[in-house]
């Protein structure tokens, strides 16, 4: 188990009077076990450990990672949270505080996706013409700029 990984997980999950800290429930070693399930996760965990070693003297290493490599930080955060919230001690706290049944969320937990997810509007126009004049205008707007992410305000203006 890496001491620097344990320090990192304690920054993410410091614990308090109700919740155990990451180090109390060995989140860092659980992360390493979870990463063994997938070769991409093993590579990313190795990259995380390299980063943490290079920034060993940094006071807020989690914040530094988030600034320098957001994708690696996202992977590490999700893996740490998966390790934390599948712990029986954390499930006990959840059960005591919420009356949620103390059981694993799934037999194997949730799989960590280590790569970027394709945006919903990247490859195709998703607007479908319904035959109205307004839908034709919206379709033309999307064809003109297919990679645009529309705001809620803009979408509300689409209504006839």
């Amino acid at each position: 188990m890496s001491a620097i990984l344990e320090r990192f997980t304690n920054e993410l999950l410091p614990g308090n009077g109700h919740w155990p800290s990451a180090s109390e429930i060995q989140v860092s070693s659980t992360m390493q076990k979870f990463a063994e399930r997938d070769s991409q996760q093993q590579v990313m965990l190795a990259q995380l450990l390299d980063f943490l070693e290079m920034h060993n003297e940094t006071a807020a290493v989690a914040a530094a990672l988030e600034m320098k490599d957001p994708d690696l930080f996202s992977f590490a955060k999700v893996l740490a949270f998966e390790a934390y919230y599948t712990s029986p001690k954390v499930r006990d706290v959840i059960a005591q505080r919420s009356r949620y049944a103390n059981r694993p969320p799934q037999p194997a937990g949730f799989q960590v996706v280590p790569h970027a997810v394709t945006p919903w509007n990247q490859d195709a126009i998703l607007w479908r013409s319904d035959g109205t004049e307004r839908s034709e205008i919206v379709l033309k707007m999307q064809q003109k700029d297919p990679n645009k992410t529309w705001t809620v305000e803009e979408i509300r203006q689409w209504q006839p």
Side-chain angles (χ1 to χ4, degrees):
M1 179 172 58
S2 168
I4 189 73
L5 182 58
E6 189 168 296
R7 186 179 129 215
F8 171 78
T9 60
N10 274 333
E11 279 186 42
L12 293 177
L13 299 157
N16 64 24
H18 297 286
W19 301 95
S21 69
S23 60
E24 288 178 59
I25 57 172
Q26 295 84 38
V27 165
S28 59
S29 63
T30 304
M31 286 174 68
Q32 291 172 326
K33 288 178 194 170
F34 285 175
E36 290 173 1
R37 301 180 294 199
D38 181 275
S39 61
Q40 277 187 304
Q41 289 184 26
Q42 290 172 7
V43 169
M44 292 189 78
L45 183 62
Q47 291 172 354
L48 173 64
L49 293 172
D50 288 346
F51 180 93
L52 296 176
E53 287 297 328
M54 289 189 308
H55 295 84
N56 193 19
E57 301 300 318
T58 305
V61 71
L65 176 61
E66 185 175 21
M67 290 293 289
K68 291 188 187 236
D69 193 339
D71 290 337
L72 186 58
F73 175 77
S74 179
F75 162 78
K77 180 179 69 171
V78 170
L79 190 62
F81 285 13
E82 180 183 18
Y84 187 80
Y85 286 103
T86 57
S87 164
K89 284 187 178 183
V90 172
R91 291 194 331 254
D92 281 342
V93 174
I94 292 169
Q96 292 167 4
R97 297 185 61 112
S98 69
R99 297 184 187 165
Y100 184 81
N102 182 354
R103 60 172 173 71
Q106 292 183 10
F110 293 100
Q111 183 177 3
V112 176
V113 179
H115 54 280
V117 176
T118 303
W120 66 269
N121 64 346
Q122 178 174 315
D123 296 323
I125 302 290
L126 297 180
W127 185 261
R128 184 177 60 214
S129 176
D130 63 4
T132 64
E133 184 177 326
R134 187 68 185 150
S135 71
E136 293 302 319
I137 293 169
V138 171
L139 181 60
K140 286 178 184 173
M141 290 183 339
Q142 285 196 327
Q143 288 170 335
K144 181 178 177 183
D145 191 1
N147 292 323
K148 178 175 173 59
T149 301
W150 299 91
T151 66
V152 172
E153 290 78 20
E154 290 170 316
I155 292 170
R156 284 185 181 147
Q157 292 175 3
W158 294 354
Q159 302 300 321

